[in-house]
Amino acid sequence: MRFRVDRDVLADAVTWTARSLPTRPPVPVLAGVRIEADTTGTVQLSSFDYEVSARAQLPADVSEPGTVLVSGRLLAEISRALPAKPVDVVLDGTKVQVTCGASRFTLLTMPVEDYPNLPVMPEVTGTVDGDELTHAVAQVSVAASRDDTLPLLTGVRVEIEGERVTLLATDRYRLALREMTWKPANPGVEAVALVRARTLSDAAKSLGGSGSVSVALSTGGGVDLIGFEAAGRQTTSLLVDGDYPPVRRLFPDDTPIHAIVNRQALAEAAKRVALVAERNTPIRLTFSEGQVVLDAGQGDDAQASEALEAVLSGDDISVAFNPHFLADGLGAIDTTFVRMSFTHPNKPVEFTGQESLEGDDLKDYRYLLVPIRFAS
């Protein structure tokens, strides 16, 4: 195998392909990146850990075709450190020579015949705008659990119904829902998938800037798989197995109290007030006519308080939130104002965006946050 490739192209492709390699692989070959060069002038890089696979194709000047397996992380580090010159990659016996200008590296190869076969990309289910996918996944994934002992809650539930896609995530303390449109391959398609939030976020971030992203879903055929493809890059992931809890019913049907506040001002005030909040200590928001007062700390501890303008409809109300969860919700909303809808001080509060004080609240993104009970 022998080929020459642009340094930046190689570094970008290797870094992307090696990004999900396991730190402690169960077998050594899973730490490798497979390099396949063919005479059509294409080099394909591949990685697979039995759950997530990644492929990247890049143009190259291929003199001799071939396939090798080398350490993915080491190749990524080397490629990023090379000078800005063409890179020559040559297989020499059981070693791979990487030459760039005056720099020369020798990598040991792994037995490529021991490398597992990568999963086949399912048939494309639909396409979605990459930037919208990235934004939607970021909005929802903040609510996914990080606790691997509850694998169901570490996933994002993807519901597909024709041209509408709904993303849902919860960690039991908050719930995020985002609705978006896409272009289905079959107008009548209906499907449900539970995708690991980390995998979905990684795919959305890395492929989102590539324009249109193809989404492929395969369920009920023995291996439940989701795949994403854009700009010569392809990644697949096994779906999370299990029945997701019926979280939609947690959104209140009727909210007699709601408040509208400038979102950025509220986020900044909450961040300042939270400086005095000890770990796991809530900050309290007290809503009354024309204002909301944020405060944290009590007794002999450090204390902070700040008042902001707010439009309140309904009775005065006080709620307390985990500062981190509050910040996540406000950060996920991208409108000028945030609308907070209440049923009771101890019941979940719904956050939605609003472009103006008199406008309608936008239901395409909804963030539900469970308040923390506090002593009166």
Side-chain angles (χ1 to χ4, degrees), residues 335-355:
T335 53
T336 303
F337 294 92
V338 59
R339 178 188 180 106
M340 302 170 64
S341 301
F342 310 89
T343 56
H344 184 275
N346 294 325
K347 297 291 185 179
V349 179
E350 182 178 0
F351 292 68
T352 52
Q354 198 162 309
E355 292 293 355

Side-chain angles (χ1 to χ4, degrees), residues 35 80 135 143 150 159 180 320 364:
I35 306 173
R80 289 194 296 266
H135 183 50
L150 298 170
E159 301 175 352
M180 58 190 295
D364 59 334

Side-chain angles (χ1 to χ4, degrees), residues 276-278 281 296-304:
V276 303
E278 299 289 339
T281 301
Q298 57 185 352
D300 295 331
D301 297 330
Q303 299 178 39

Side-chain angles (χ1 to χ4, degrees), residues 94-117:
T94 61
K95 299 179 180 179
V96 170
Q97 306 286 349
V98 179
T99 306
C100 181
S103 299
R104 183 184 180 90
F105 293 88
T106 301
L107 285 74
L108 296 177
T109 61
M110 302 178 187
V112 70
E113 62 274 9
D114 293 343
Y115 201 70
N117 293 325

